[in-house]
Amino acid sequence: MKNLLGKNVNLFNKFIGFYFLAVLMLWIKTYITQMTQFDLGVDGALQHFLLFINPLGSAMLFLGFAMFFKGRKRYTLLVVIYTLLSILLYANVVYYRFFSDFITLPTIFQTQNFGNLGGSVIALLRPYDVLFFVDVVTIIYLRAAKRIVKETTEFNRKRAIALISLALGISCLNLGLSEADRPELLTRGFDRNYIVKYLGMYNYTIYDAVESTKASAQRVLADSNDITEVINYTKSNYAEPNPEYFGKAKGMNVLYIHLESFQNFLINYKLNGEEVTPFLNSLVNDPNTLYFNNFFHQTAQGKTSDAEFMLENSIFGLPQGSAFITKGRNMYQAAPAILKEYGYTSAVFHGNGGSFWNRNEIYKSFGFDKFYDADYYNFSSDEDMAEYGLMDKPFFEQSMDKLKTLPEPFYAKLITVSNHYPFDMDQDLATIEKASTGDSTVDNYFQTARYADEAIAQLFNDLKESGLYDNTMIILYGDHYGISNNHNKAMSQIIGTEVDKVESANLQRVPLFIHVPGMQGGVMQTYGGQIDLLPTVLHLLGIDTKDFVQFGTDLLSPNHNEVVPFRNGDFVSPSIYSLDGKYYDATTGLPLDDSQKQLADEWKEEVEYKLYLSDKVVNGDLLRFYTPEGFKPVDRTKFNYSKEKSDK
């Protein structure tokens, strides 16, 4: 090689050689990354072939744009494109480690969250990550090496067009084979895993940009006729309230306790013979508490914000990014605005910055009267600080002083943060030992969950002492998973069985407790999701929901729909699970018998239609065209959550 470089006759003296080396390196790196860093569910020879071939066409295409520039600029541009593609690939690797998902265009613009992510991002880095950029250093070196004579003559345009055509041909072949194996891949693309598996990371990025642009354009093109289809659907799927429960909490305060990253397997779980969540376990048997043990989170990239979005509106979060950020100024018919007509004061309490997830803006659209963010709390010591704000015990303690000042009846929400990835905490505060799987994320999880449980027990005692307890409906719900699929090996040790696709879906259960003084409680086996919470709560308050656009149904209604959609188009139900394009028996976990596949197909179609309509409402801001009788649309200008304004 040295001899070749010395004589200036090596392959890299010609731009075409430099180009093909870059294509080869990017192709191989991307293939290895997609194979080892992402759980794409590759199955069969064709899918393996597609995973291998899909980076080639896009690498040739993107890097090929450099061929149309002159002289040394083409080398520089190729290096720049190569570096940007490498950064994009690595960013997705880091993002996937926590979210088990891929970056979308809307998530890139969620910049107001970045300042709060420091510790979490660091925990996602690995020592071997430097390997992702060895090739980048190599390509930069080859560009800068003086012993390589750069070709300065204009690149043959016909050859450039031929290479671009070849790249497009490979990508078209890739798409054709993908459509043969997965029909309607691009038109039913709720699941980003499919797009990356079949088309590759870079083609997925193009697809995502197109879909994001289309979604952004929907509001401009929408008109009042678009809401008709939605209203017809929600009215025809409305579930009448159960007379046994309707109005059981009428006139009571409503208090939500948002359990960060809480999964349902924690309930009644013992670690080394010791209960992890003794207080929440006691609520399972509380005579006035309903405990739903088949309640699933339905969040996507918005995670916590998606959970809140469904909780307040009974509308799904978006498939890309967070509606809290991209649709913060839409018109909504959210719980605070609905309850305003019944004399309720509304408030949110959160020991983090108000701009995180754009809460200080979208809460105005929901109609919340007050929002107490980090500015309203005292952080007296380092022990009070969690990764995402105030630790739960001082947070609840300080929130009680504010809660007691709210005019009754009130509708309030307390958002916890202590049980958040990476689940680190001061060991002086820990009251249970870590697990011993060898996976630090899983092992730490039980200590922060125990701390949150103790904080909730303290809050219940404070509510009783304040006199609020006897006239308050208390709802505790998990917002999303805490342990992602990337930790399935360790979770298999924890739950004592292999975490396959069905068991992974089961782990998406989150707790739901509804405590109503004087109401008969019990363990409810009903399948449901976060989309169903709003109609359930409103019916308990004696407020009928039939005129509102809501995609969930009352969990207590005999007509409740127990098919629970996930944001990627999968679903679970008491009898059938639909996961990654395959159907499973919910009881045995085995692939579904042919006799039931027709029913599964019908449910799958229904789920995708429901998600489509929900996205249509949010992207088109369609609720601006429909006002239910007796409902007063929210005027955002009436709300100001700044502490300075509040103190005046």
Side-chain angles (χ1 to χ4, degrees), residues 303-523:
K303 290 296 181 287
T304 292
S305 69
D306 281 356
E308 286 194 72
F309 191 76
M310 287 182 278
L311 173 81
E312 305 297 352
N313 298 286
S314 191
I315 297 174
F316 290 97
L318 292 173
Q320 297 155 308
S322 167
F324 260 49
I325 290 177
T326 61
K327 307 298 178 184
R329 292 179 175 271
N330 276 13
M331 292 289 291
Y332 295 103
Q333 297 162 12
I338 294 172
L339 292 175
K340 172 71 77 175
E341 303 303 316
Y342 294 85
Y344 278 76
T345 301
S346 54
V348 182
F349 302 81
H350 188 34
N352 198 353
S355 63
F356 197 76
W357 287 126
N358 198 38
R359 287 186 172 99
N360 55 5
E361 287 299 327
I362 198 167
Y363 283 166
K364 297 175 185 177
S365 298
F366 290 170
F368 275 107
D369 295 313
K370 301 177 183 295
F371 175 30
Y372 298 96
D373 66 359
D375 289 343
Y376 292 84
Y377 291 87
N378 297 317
F379 295 78
S380 58
S381 70
D382 290 341
E383 284 189 351
D384 289 348
M385 282 295 296
E387 184 73 33
Y388 287 82
L390 190 63
M391 291 286 282
D392 294 347
K393 288 181 181 179
F395 166 66
F396 283 148
E397 182 180 358
Q398 294 184 45
S399 295
M400 274 302 304
D401 294 335
K402 301 170 180 57
L403 191 67
K404 287 185 290 188
T405 66
L406 293 180
E408 297 185 58
F410 59 71
Y411 173 86
K413 179 168 56 179
L414 298 165
I415 303 175
T416 66
V417 300
S418 297
N419 191 47
H420 197 294
Y421 180 87
F423 311 111
D424 289 330
M425 70 178 300
D426 188 330
Q427 289 303 293
D428 291 339
L429 301 177
T431 57
I432 190 172
E433 293 297 318
K434 296 181 180 181
S436 55
T437 68
D439 183 321
S440 61
T441 298
V442 174
D443 294 347
N444 293 346
Y445 185 58
F446 298 93
Q447 291 190 331
T448 51
R450 163 62 74 82
Y451 176 88
D453 183 78
E454 293 170 348
I456 296 163
Q458 167 198 302
L459 175 64
F460 269 64
N461 286 333
D462 290 345
L463 287 169
K464 290 175 181 177
E465 291 179 3
S466 70
L468 292 173
Y469 183 81
D470 292 331
N471 190 43
T472 301
M473 171 165 57
I474 305 172
I475 305 147
L476 305 97
Y477 71 100
D479 64 346
H480 55 76
Y481 64 77
I483 309 298
S484 73
N485 291 336
N486 297 319
H487 305 278
N488 282 350
K489 184 177 180 181
M491 282 303 298
S492 295
Q493 298 179 49
I494 293 297
I495 64 176
T497 187
E498 180 187 358
V499 181
D500 56 14
K501 288 188 183 300
V502 171
E503 196 57 45
S504 179
N506 287 331
L507 285 172
Q508 306 315 305
R509 290 182 172 97
V510 291
L512 173 62
F513 297 91
I514 301 179
H515 173 85
V516 179
M519 180 185 71
Q520 180 62 46
V523 177

Side-chain angles (χ1 to χ4, degrees), residues 12 18-33 55 59 63 75 78-90 93 128-144 202:
F12 309 122
F18 192 70
Y19 165 76
F20 274 120
L21 175 67
V23 168
L24 179 64
M25 289 196 300
L26 187 62
W27 176 18
I28 298 304
K29 178 174 76 171
T30 305
Y31 168 68
I32 293 173
T33 300
L63 296 176
Y75 288 87
L78 186 143
V79 170
V80 170
I81 295 172
Y82 192 100
T83 303
L84 291 174
L85 291 174
S86 296
I87 292 172
L88 175 65
L89 182 66
Y90 178 65
V93 169
Y128 63 79
D129 287 356
V130 295
L131 297 176
F132 285 98
F133 295 98
V134 170
D135 56 320
V136 176
V137 174
T138 300
I139 205 78
I140 292 174
Y141 167 76
L142 291 174
R143 165 64 183 88
Y202 307 119

Side-chain angles (χ1 to χ4, degrees), residues 27-317:
W27 176 18
I28 298 304
K29 178 174 76 171
T30 305
Y31 168 68
I32 293 173
T33 300
Q34 292 179 171
M35 190 70 181
T36 62
Q37 301 298 306
F38 307 136
D39 182 14
L40 299 175
V42 182
D43 184 25
L46 177 58
Q47 290 186 13
H48 277 283
F49 173 73
L50 289 170
L51 189 70
F52 174 70
I53 203 71
N54 62 41
L56 176 58
S58 48
M60 289 180 65
L61 180 63
F62 285 118
L63 296 176
F65 289 128
M67 292 185 290
F68 295 96
F69 286 74
K70 295 180 180 180
R72 300 180 192 278
K73 289 182 180 179
R74 71 171 74 107
Y75 288 87
T76 302
L77 182 60
L78 186 143
V79 170
V80 170
I81 295 172
Y82 192 100
T83 303
L84 291 174
L85 291 174
S86 296
I87 292 172
L88 175 65
L89 182 66
Y90 178 65
N92 273 282
V93 169
V94 176
Y95 189 85
Y96 192 89
R97 285 172 182 166
F98 179 65
F99 294 106
S100 295
D101 201 351
F102 301 98
I103 294 172
T104 62
L105 197 60
T107 61
I108 293 174
F109 294 104
Q110 292 171 191
T111 54
Q112 60 263 61
N113 287 354
F114 291 172
N116 298 269
L117 298 177
S120 295
V121 173
I122 293 172
L124 295 171
L125 304 182
R126 304 287 183 267
Y128 63 79
D129 287 356
V130 295
L131 297 176
F132 285 98
F133 295 98
V134 170
D135 56 320
V136 176
V137 174
T138 300
I139 205 78
I140 292 174
Y141 167 76
L142 291 174
R143 165 64 183 88
K146 294 181 179 179
R147 288 180 294 176
I148 300 176
V149 178
K150 308 301 185 294
E151 184 181 36
T152 57
T153 58
E154 186 174 351
F155 195 80
N156 186 295
R157 288 299 177 104
K158 290 183 179 179
R159 182 183 294 179
I161 293 172
L163 285 172
I164 295 295
S165 298
L166 177 60
L168 291 172
I170 293 172
S171 294
C172 288
L173 174 64
N174 183 177
L175 178 58
L177 291 173
S178 299
E179 283 284 348
D181 194 59
R182 174 71 177 176
E184 299 180 292
L185 174 66
L186 298 181
T187 55
R188 299 171 70 180
F190 286 117
D191 194 337
R192 282 175 286 277
N193 249 35
Y194 287 141
I195 307 297
V196 175
K197 176 170 67 174
Y198 284 108
L199 302 183
M201 175 57 63
Y202 307 119
N203 287 327
Y204 154 74
T205 302
I206 297 173
Y207 166 82
D208 168 63
V210 171
E211 289 299 302
S212 297
T213 303
K214 284 167 56 180
S216 298
Q218 285 186 35
R219 190 184 192 282
V220 177
L221 300 174
D223 60 36
S224 57
N225 294 322
D226 293 319
I227 193 66
T228 304
E229 180 183 13
V230 175
I231 294 172
N232 289 339
Y233 176 84
T234 55
K235 284 187 177 294
S236 63
N237 288 274
Y238 162 76
E240 292 185 356
N242 187 331
E244 182 181 347
Y245 293 101
F246 187 73
K248 281 293 183 181
K250 187 173 184 178
M252 289 186 181
N253 302 316
V254 179
L255 180 62
Y256 275 106
I257 303 175
H258 177 112
L259 304 176
E260 171 63 43
S261 301
F262 236 86
Q263 290 175 246
N264 197 58
F265 80 87
L266 289 167
I267 306 302
N268 288 323
Y269 184 85
K270 291 185 178 181
L271 182 65
N272 301 321
E274 186 176 357
E275 288 182 297
V276 178
T277 57
F279 180 74
L280 291 178
N281 296 348
S282 72
L283 289 182
V284 174
N285 301 311
D286 184 278
N288 299 134
T289 300
L290 296 170
Y291 164 56
F292 293 82
N293 62 0
N294 287 309
F295 184 74
F296 292 79
H297 85 85
Q298 297 166 289
T299 67
Q301 290 187 320
K303 290 296 181 287
T304 292
S305 69
D306 281 356
E308 286 194 72
F309 191 76
M310 287 182 278
L311 173 81
E312 305 297 352
N313 298 286
S314 191
I315 297 174
F316 290 97

